[in-house]
Structures are given as structure tokens and as C-alpha cells.
Amino acid sequence: MTVKAAVLVAPGKPPEVWDLPDPVLERGAVLLETVASEVCGTDVHLYHGRLAGVPYPIIPGHVSVGRVLEANGVRTDALGDPLAPGDVVTFYDVHEVCHNCWHCLVARQPNRCPSRKVYGITYSATDGLLGGWAERIYLKPGVRVFRLPEPVSADDVIGGGCGLFTGYAAVERSALAMGDTVLVQGAGPVGLGAAAFSALRGAGLVVVIGAPAPRLELARALGADVAIHLTETSPGQRAGQIMELTGGRGVDVAIEATGNPAAIPEGLDLLRAGGTYVIAGHYTDTGPVELNPHGDINRKHADIRGQWGTDFPHVVRALRMLAKHRERLPFAKVAERRYGLAEAGRALADVEALRVTKALIVP
Ligand SMILES: [Zn+2]
Ligand SMILES: [Zn+2]
């Protein structure tokens, strides 16, 4: 028997549907029947070859939901709960962090561990079914798999996707205090996640700058108090509006989720003195930008932090919040359109052109 998978064979080449062998499970492995996987901005970058060290051909899809088909010697999930065939699960896409290197042991930054692998990004299709754009997903021994908390659905998880977890991580990194004013730059999946969790964490005011209009509607639905259209306003108009909202001081916290270097000076400009700025949107290198170290950083006493990817606790806690506050977090609405494996190329084009906020791959 074979398993169908959508494969990016090389940068710039449209995805191909391959037949791959149905795997035999080693001890400790879990095989999933894919329920849904996501198409995110990273997949568009992978398609264009903008990430370093990607072992093409790859099966994309780093955040996925599946149903357990088979588990070899695995009876509990990563949280210690029973795991059995038929359970609907998700898993932490990062694997093979060594817990033995300098980054893991001394710096305690496992997200910089050189052994770190990511499903759908840094595993090759020749290594197995290690991405979500496939009928089945092979979870190697030690992959952190866990059952979706009730009443979270596959659409909730994939509608939020990796942006849900990155948004959660960015808010946590900002150390946002209750009552703080927050600016989220960008209304893509990371910006939507950041806006939603800022509101849940108790922000006094959440402002989102983004485009196009349907994404601003989603931002409002997820907790933004004010949504400003990026391309229908000038930087001066945006600054005027935000200064008016903050008594002329600027926001306490700004979270960048745009991937556009031009957002950085604007974000610093709108930050109050002593405020915190988290940069979470630059997963690929989009080039430098000019800053004024005196006015933007030193005199401003700005606290600037980067957020690289997510850790397992972000995923678990974000989904726990989604389970508890499902009414306030309609991420299933963000999951706008479903695509089969043969339509993966169209899904990438639709995401890149911002025709959809989150595309689902449903094999
Ligand atoms: Zn390590
Ligand atoms: Zn992603």
C-alpha cells in the first residue's frame, strides 16, 4: 500500500503528488491519519526557497491534526493521558532537540539547538511521512503528541495554526500586564493570535494595524478594540490615531507580526518610553532597515525582544486557552478554504495573494 503526499521537490517548482510507502512503525512511533494540515506564510517561503537548510524534496505542513491509526508501544500522550487508536491529536512540530548541547543546557534556548528538526520544514520526504500534506503522518519516537482538549476541533487548531502558538509566545514574551495598551502590527495568523491572546491576558486596549479588510474583521472578532487599515492610511494618520488613544504617550507593548522591515521603525515610534517591543514576524530574512539608536532605542529606554518559533508549553497552553475560551476565539472562522493534496499549489497561491488568511490541506 502507498500513501499520497504533496511534495515540494525544489524551490519554485509547483507541489507534486507522490505515492510513498506506508511505513512500518518502529517502537515508540505513532501513525496518524491526517484530518487537516495548514498552509502558512512559512510554506510560501518554502515554495520560494527563502529558508536556509531545507532538504528538498519535502512534505510541507508543520501544524496538523490527525487521528491515531496505530501506536507501537505508546499508551500515553505527552501529557500523560491515555492514547489509543481513534484519538484525535495534534503534535509539537519541533523534534530531536538534544537537551545536551550548550544551547540546551547552558543558554537554555532549545529553540536554537543545532539538532532541532521541524516537521514539514527540515525533514526530507525521503526520510518518511514527516509533514502534514499527506494522507498519513509518521510520528517518530519522542514526538510530543497529545489529544485535542475538549471541545477544540481540528478547524479551531488549524484555523489558528502555527500563528496561534507564535502569537501566544509573543504575548508571553512581552510580559504584557493587565490594563496595558497593545499595538499588534499585522493581521495575518500571527497577528491575529497575538491580538486574541493580548485581549485574553487582560490588555486595556488592543489596536491592530493590518490589511486586507476581511483580516481586520477577523481581528475585531478575536478581540481587537481598534483595527486600522494599513494601506488606506498613512504612517502619520496611524501615529495620530494611536497617540490620541494613548494620551500622546504611545503603547505599552507593541508586537510585530508583519515580516516587513518597514514595520520596525514605525513600531518603535508608536511605543511609549520604557515600553516593550516583541519582533515575531521576521521568520525569513527580508533585509535591513534604518533605525535611530538615540531616539528609537536608547533615549526611549525601549525593551526590544525577538521571539523565534515556539516551545512545547506555548502549544499546550494556547490550546488549553482555546478550549476554555472557544466562544471568544472563533479561530475556526479563520480556516476559510479546504484544498486536496492535488490543489496544494493553488492553496499556496491563494495564501500568498492574501485571498485566504488560512488555507487547510485536507488529504
Ligand atoms: Zn541541543
Ligand atoms: Zn507555520
mmCIF file of all heavy atoms in Angstrom, residues 300-328:
data_model
loop_
_atom_site.group_PDB
_atom_site.id
_atom_site.type_symbol
_atom_site.label_atom_id
_atom_site.label_comp_id
_atom_site.label_asym_id
_atom_site.label_seq_id
_atom_site.Cartn_x
_atom_site.Cartn_y
_atom_site.Cartn_z
ATOM 1 N N LYS A 300 14.609 56.276 24.296
ATOM 2 C CA LYS A 300 13.282 55.714 24.527
ATOM 3 C C LYS A 300 13.292 54.688 25.651
ATOM 4 O O LYS A 300 12.261 54.339 26.196
ATOM 5 C CB LYS A 300 12.762 55.095 23.222
ATOM 6 C CG LYS A 300 11.451 54.375 23.365
ATOM 7 C CD LYS A 300 10.647 54.387 22.091
ATOM 8 C CE LYS A 300 9.812 55.619 22.001
ATOM 9 N NZ LYS A 300 8.853 55.627 20.933
ATOM 10 N N HIS A 301 14.488 54.209 25.998
ATOM 11 C CA HIS A 301 14.612 53.190 27.046
ATOM 12 C C HIS A 301 13.779 51.949 26.648
ATOM 13 O O HIS A 301 13.104 51.334 27.472
ATOM 14 C CB HIS A 301 14.110 53.759 28.387
ATOM 15 C CG HIS A 301 14.639 53.047 29.595
ATOM 16 N ND1 HIS A 301 15.965 53.007 29.911
ATOM 17 C CD2 HIS A 301 14.009 52.329 30.557
ATOM 18 C CE1 HIS A 301 16.134 52.321 31.024
ATOM 19 N NE2 HIS A 301 14.964 51.881 31.422
ATOM 20 N N ALA A 302 13.847 51.625 25.344
ATOM 21 C CA ALA A 302 12.980 50.571 24.808
ATOM 22 C C ALA A 302 13.528 49.194 25.151
ATOM 23 O O ALA A 302 14.730 48.966 25.203
ATOM 24 C CB ALA A 302 12.875 50.718 23.295
ATOM 25 N N ASP A 303 12.609 48.283 25.392
ATOM 26 C CA ASP A 303 12.956 46.884 25.643
ATOM 27 C C ASP A 303 12.559 46.109 24.386
ATOM 28 O O ASP A 303 11.370 45.900 24.133
ATOM 29 C CB ASP A 303 12.145 46.412 26.862
ATOM 30 C CG ASP A 303 12.617 45.070 27.389
ATOM 31 O OD1 ASP A 303 13.395 44.398 26.693
ATOM 32 O OD2 ASP A 303 12.178 44.698 28.494
ATOM 33 N N ILE A 304 13.547 45.700 23.582
ATOM 34 C CA ILE A 304 13.258 45.057 22.295
ATOM 35 C C ILE A 304 13.590 43.572 22.403
ATOM 36 O O ILE A 304 14.704 43.208 22.796
ATOM 37 C CB ILE A 304 14.078 45.701 21.160
ATOM 38 C CG1 ILE A 304 13.787 47.195 21.098
ATOM 39 C CG2 ILE A 304 13.764 45.041 19.816
ATOM 40 C CD1 ILE A 304 14.630 47.955 20.090
ATOM 41 N N ARG A 305 12.636 42.720 22.083
ATOM 42 C CA ARG A 305 12.824 41.279 22.240
ATOM 43 C C ARG A 305 12.448 40.546 20.955
ATOM 44 O O ARG A 305 11.471 40.901 20.304
ATOM 45 C CB ARG A 305 11.927 40.741 23.367
ATOM 46 C CG ARG A 305 12.141 41.462 24.673
ATOM 47 C CD ARG A 305 11.146 41.037 25.724
ATOM 48 N NE ARG A 305 11.378 41.802 26.943
ATOM 49 C CZ ARG A 305 10.746 41.611 28.092
ATOM 50 N NH1 ARG A 305 9.822 40.678 28.185
ATOM 51 N NH2 ARG A 305 11.024 42.336 29.146
ATOM 52 N N GLY A 306 13.182 39.489 20.637
ATOM 53 C CA GLY A 306 12.832 38.641 19.498
ATOM 54 C C GLY A 306 12.136 37.386 19.995
ATOM 55 O O GLY A 306 12.384 36.927 21.111
ATOM 56 N N GLN A 307 11.238 36.857 19.186
ATOM 57 C CA GLN A 307 10.594 35.585 19.523
ATOM 58 C C GLN A 307 10.793 34.630 18.353
ATOM 59 O O GLN A 307 10.196 34.814 17.295
ATOM 60 C CB GLN A 307 9.098 35.782 19.801
ATOM 61 C CG GLN A 307 8.346 34.479 20.078
ATOM 62 C CD GLN A 307 8.873 33.750 21.304
ATOM 63 O OE1 GLN A 307 9.145 34.350 22.334
ATOM 64 N NE2 GLN A 307 9.051 32.433 21.180
ATOM 65 N N TRP A 308 11.647 33.623 18.554
ATOM 66 C CA TRP A 308 11.945 32.671 17.488
ATOM 67 C C TRP A 308 11.164 31.382 17.722
ATOM 68 O O TRP A 308 11.461 30.632 18.644
ATOM 69 C CB TRP A 308 13.453 32.382 17.448
ATOM 70 C CG TRP A 308 13.832 31.407 16.376
ATOM 71 C CD1 TRP A 308 14.266 30.123 16.538
ATOM 72 C CD2 TRP A 308 13.823 31.625 14.961
ATOM 73 N NE1 TRP A 308 14.501 29.540 15.335
ATOM 74 C CE2 TRP A 308 14.237 30.443 14.338
ATOM 75 C CE3 TRP A 308 13.477 32.724 14.153
ATOM 76 C CZ2 TRP A 308 14.329 30.308 12.951
ATOM 77 C CZ3 TRP A 308 13.570 32.594 12.779
ATOM 78 C CH2 TRP A 308 14.000 31.400 12.198
ATOM 79 N N GLY A 309 10.151 31.158 16.901
ATOM 80 C CA GLY A 309 9.374 29.924 16.987
ATOM 81 C C GLY A 309 8.646 29.805 18.316
ATOM 82 O O GLY A 309 8.355 30.788 18.987
ATOM 83 N N THR A 310 8.342 28.585 18.663
ATOM 84 C CA THR A 310 7.575 28.327 19.884
ATOM 85 C C THR A 310 8.176 27.136 20.619
ATOM 86 O O THR A 310 8.904 26.340 20.043
ATOM 87 C CB THR A 310 6.109 27.965 19.560
ATOM 88 O OG1 THR A 310 6.107 26.833 18.696
ATOM 89 C CG2 THR A 310 5.374 29.110 18.908
ATOM 90 N N ASP A 311 7.853 27.031 21.886
ATOM 91 C CA ASP A 311 8.216 25.855 22.678
ATOM 92 C C ASP A 311 6.953 25.044 22.949
ATOM 93 O O ASP A 311 5.837 25.560 22.829
ATOM 94 C CB ASP A 311 8.854 26.281 24.006
ATOM 95 C CG ASP A 311 10.182 26.987 23.788
ATOM 96 O OD1 ASP A 311 10.889 26.632 22.837
ATOM 97 O OD2 ASP A 311 10.482 27.920 24.563
ATOM 98 N N PHE A 312 7.145 23.812 23.366
ATOM 99 C CA PHE A 312 6.008 22.919 23.620
ATOM 100 C C PHE A 312 4.980 23.525 24.589
ATOM 101 O O PHE A 312 3.773 23.442 24.343
ATOM 102 C CB PHE A 312 6.536 21.567 24.125
ATOM 103 C CG PHE A 312 5.468 20.545 24.345
ATOM 104 C CD1 PHE A 312 4.599 20.178 23.337
ATOM 105 C CD2 PHE A 312 5.338 19.930 25.587
ATOM 106 C CE1 PHE A 312 3.609 19.222 23.544
ATOM 107 C CE2 PHE A 312 4.352 18.970 25.806
ATOM 108 C CZ PHE A 312 3.487 18.629 24.786
ATOM 109 N N PRO A 313 5.420 24.172 25.692
ATOM 110 C CA PRO A 313 4.412 24.741 26.604
ATOM 111 C C PRO A 313 3.498 25.765 25.929
ATOM 112 O O PRO A 313 2.320 25.871 26.289
ATOM 113 C CB PRO A 313 5.246 25.396 27.709
ATOM 114 C CG PRO A 313 6.546 24.688 27.672
ATOM 115 C CD PRO A 313 6.774 24.321 26.232
ATOM 116 N N HIS A 314 4.027 26.529 24.954
ATOM 117 C CA HIS A 314 3.169 27.502 24.256
ATOM 118 C C HIS A 314 2.016 26.781 23.560
ATOM 119 O O HIS A 314 0.872 27.249 23.573
ATOM 120 C CB HIS A 314 3.971 28.275 23.205
ATOM 121 C CG HIS A 314 5.101 29.075 23.767
ATOM 122 N ND1 HIS A 314 6.386 29.008 23.272
ATOM 123 C CD2 HIS A 314 5.140 29.952 24.798
ATOM 124 C CE1 HIS A 314 7.161 29.826 23.956
ATOM 125 N NE2 HIS A 314 6.436 30.411 24.895
ATOM 126 N N VAL A 315 2.327 25.651 22.941
ATOM 127 C CA VAL A 315 1.309 24.906 22.183
ATOM 128 C C VAL A 315 0.245 24.364 23.144
ATOM 129 O O VAL A 315 -0.954 24.519 22.920
ATOM 130 C CB VAL A 315 1.975 23.760 21.388
ATOM 131 C CG1 VAL A 315 0.921 22.930 20.662
ATOM 132 C CG2 VAL A 315 2.985 24.326 20.395
ATOM 133 N N VAL A 316 0.705 23.763 24.229
ATOM 134 C CA VAL A 316 -0.232 23.170 25.193
ATOM 135 C C VAL A 316 -1.113 24.253 25.814
ATOM 136 O O VAL A 316 -2.334 24.116 25.886
ATOM 137 C CB VAL A 316 0.549 22.403 26.279
ATOM 138 C CG1 VAL A 316 -0.404 21.896 27.360
ATOM 139 C CG2 VAL A 316 1.319 21.249 25.660
ATOM 140 N N ARG A 317 -0.477 25.334 26.242
ATOM 141 C CA ARG A 317 -1.241 26.382 26.937
ATOM 142 C C ARG A 317 -2.164 27.123 25.980
ATOM 143 O O ARG A 317 -3.289 27.484 26.350
ATOM 144 C CB ARG A 317 -0.293 27.362 27.622
ATOM 145 C CG ARG A 317 0.421 26.721 28.798
ATOM 146 C CD ARG A 317 1.265 27.731 29.534
ATOM 147 N NE ARG A 317 1.964 27.119 30.649
ATOM 148 C CZ ARG A 317 3.247 27.325 30.930
ATOM 149 N NH1 ARG A 317 3.971 28.125 30.166
ATOM 150 N NH2 ARG A 317 3.804 26.744 31.961
ATOM 151 N N ALA A 318 -1.706 27.364 24.759
ATOM 152 C CA ALA A 318 -2.573 28.058 23.788
ATOM 153 C C ALA A 318 -3.824 27.219 23.531
ATOM 154 O O ALA A 318 -4.936 27.760 23.472
ATOM 155 C CB ALA A 318 -1.816 28.311 22.486
ATOM 156 N N LEU A 319 -3.664 25.905 23.404
ATOM 157 C CA LEU A 319 -4.842 25.064 23.128
ATOM 158 C C LEU A 319 -5.730 24.947 24.365
ATOM 159 O O LEU A 319 -6.952 24.827 24.247
ATOM 160 C CB LEU A 319 -4.416 23.683 22.624
ATOM 161 C CG LEU A 319 -3.830 23.690 21.207
ATOM 162 C CD1 LEU A 319 -3.559 22.277 20.724
ATOM 163 C CD2 LEU A 319 -4.749 24.400 20.225
ATOM 164 N N ARG A 320 -5.136 25.005 25.529
ATOM 165 C CA ARG A 320 -5.956 24.991 26.754
ATOM 166 C C ARG A 320 -6.813 26.258 26.804
ATOM 167 O O ARG A 320 -7.990 26.228 27.163
ATOM 168 C CB ARG A 320 -5.031 24.910 27.979
ATOM 169 C CG ARG A 320 -5.765 24.558 29.250
ATOM 170 C CD ARG A 320 -4.831 24.601 30.437
ATOM 171 N NE ARG A 320 -3.852 23.532 30.456
ATOM 172 C CZ ARG A 320 -2.707 23.573 31.140
ATOM 173 N NH1 ARG A 320 -2.395 24.619 31.860
ATOM 174 N NH2 ARG A 320 -1.870 22.554 31.115
ATOM 175 N N MET A 321 -6.218 27.392 26.428
ATOM 176 C CA MET A 321 -6.986 28.651 26.379
ATOM 177 C C MET A 321 -8.071 28.587 25.315
ATOM 178 O O MET A 321 -9.182 29.084 25.514
ATOM 179 C CB MET A 321 -6.047 29.831 26.092
ATOM 180 C CG MET A 321 -5.092 30.135 27.224
ATOM 181 S SD MET A 321 -5.967 30.649 28.727
ATOM 182 C CE MET A 321 -6.163 32.393 28.403
ATOM 183 N N LEU A 322 -7.742 27.954 24.200
ATOM 184 C CA LEU A 322 -8.736 27.808 23.132
ATOM 185 C C LEU A 322 -9.899 26.943 23.618
ATOM 186 O O LEU A 322 -11.063 27.223 23.300
ATOM 187 C CB LEU A 322 -8.047 27.164 21.923
ATOM 188 C CG LEU A 322 -8.721 27.227 20.561
ATOM 189 C CD1 LEU A 322 -9.155 28.625 20.215
ATOM 190 C CD2 LEU A 322 -7.775 26.695 19.493
ATOM 191 N N ALA A 323 -9.591 25.916 24.400
ATOM 192 C CA ALA A 323 -10.646 25.046 24.930
ATOM 193 C C ALA A 323 -11.541 25.817 25.894
ATOM 194 O O ALA A 323 -12.756 25.704 25.862
ATOM 195 C CB ALA A 323 -10.024 23.834 25.623
ATOM 196 N N LYS A 324 -10.924 26.638 26.740
ATOM 197 C CA LYS A 324 -11.711 27.345 27.747
ATOM 198 C C LYS A 324 -12.485 28.532 27.169
ATOM 199 O O LYS A 324 -13.587 28.828 27.612
ATOM 200 C CB LYS A 324 -10.797 27.831 28.878
ATOM 201 C CG LYS A 324 -11.587 28.560 29.949
ATOM 202 C CD LYS A 324 -10.822 28.803 31.220
ATOM 203 C CE LYS A 324 -11.751 29.488 32.220
ATOM 204 N NZ LYS A 324 -11.064 29.932 33.410
ATOM 205 N N HIS A 325 -11.875 29.212 26.193
ATOM 206 C CA HIS A 325 -12.465 30.473 25.689
ATOM 207 C C HIS A 325 -12.877 30.341 24.227
ATOM 208 O O HIS A 325 -12.723 31.289 23.458
ATOM 209 C CB HIS A 325 -11.467 31.619 25.844
ATOM 210 C CG HIS A 325 -11.048 31.871 27.252
ATOM 211 N ND1 HIS A 325 -11.851 32.538 28.151
ATOM 212 C CD2 HIS A 325 -9.932 31.517 27.931
ATOM 213 C CE1 HIS A 325 -11.220 32.608 29.318
ATOM 214 N NE2 HIS A 325 -10.066 31.992 29.214
ATOM 215 N N ARG A 326 -13.401 29.173 23.881
ATOM 216 C CA ARG A 326 -13.706 28.923 22.466
ATOM 217 C C ARG A 326 -14.684 29.949 21.897
ATOM 218 O O ARG A 326 -14.570 30.351 20.736
ATOM 219 C CB ARG A 326 -14.278 27.517 22.325
ATOM 220 C CG ARG A 326 -14.276 27.014 20.906
ATOM 221 C CD ARG A 326 -14.469 25.506 20.906
ATOM 222 N NE ARG A 326 -14.548 24.989 19.565
ATOM 223 C CZ ARG A 326 -15.627 24.380 19.094
ATOM 224 N NH1 ARG A 326 -16.695 24.249 19.854
ATOM 225 N NH2 ARG A 326 -15.619 23.912 17.875
ATOM 226 N N GLU A 327 -15.615 30.419 22.733
ATOM 227 C CA GLU A 327 -16.598 31.404 22.250
ATOM 228 C C GLU A 327 -15.912 32.720 21.867
ATOM 229 O O GLU A 327 -16.328 33.382 20.924
ATOM 230 C CB GLU A 327 -17.639 31.701 23.348
ATOM 231 C CG GLU A 327 -18.392 30.492 23.852
ATOM 232 C CD GLU A 327 -19.107 29.763 22.718
ATOM 233 O OE1 GLU A 327 -19.824 30.450 21.971
ATOM 234 O OE2 GLU A 327 -18.939 28.543 22.578
ATOM 235 N N ARG A 328 -14.884 33.077 22.604
ATOM 236 C CA ARG A 328 -14.188 34.347 22.332
ATOM 237 C C ARG A 328 -13.098 34.201 21.278
ATOM 238 O O ARG A 328 -12.496 35.194 20.874
ATOM 239 C CB ARG A 328 -13.551 34.866 23.628
ATOM 240 C CG ARG A 328 -14.549 35.483 24.584
ATOM 241 C CD ARG A 328 -13.859 35.959 25.849
ATOM 242 N NE ARG A 328 -12.941 37.084 25.620
ATOM 243 C CZ ARG A 328 -12.205 37.624 26.568
ATOM 244 N NH1 ARG A 328 -12.278 37.169 27.804
ATOM 245 N NH2 ARG A 328 -11.386 38.628 26.305
#
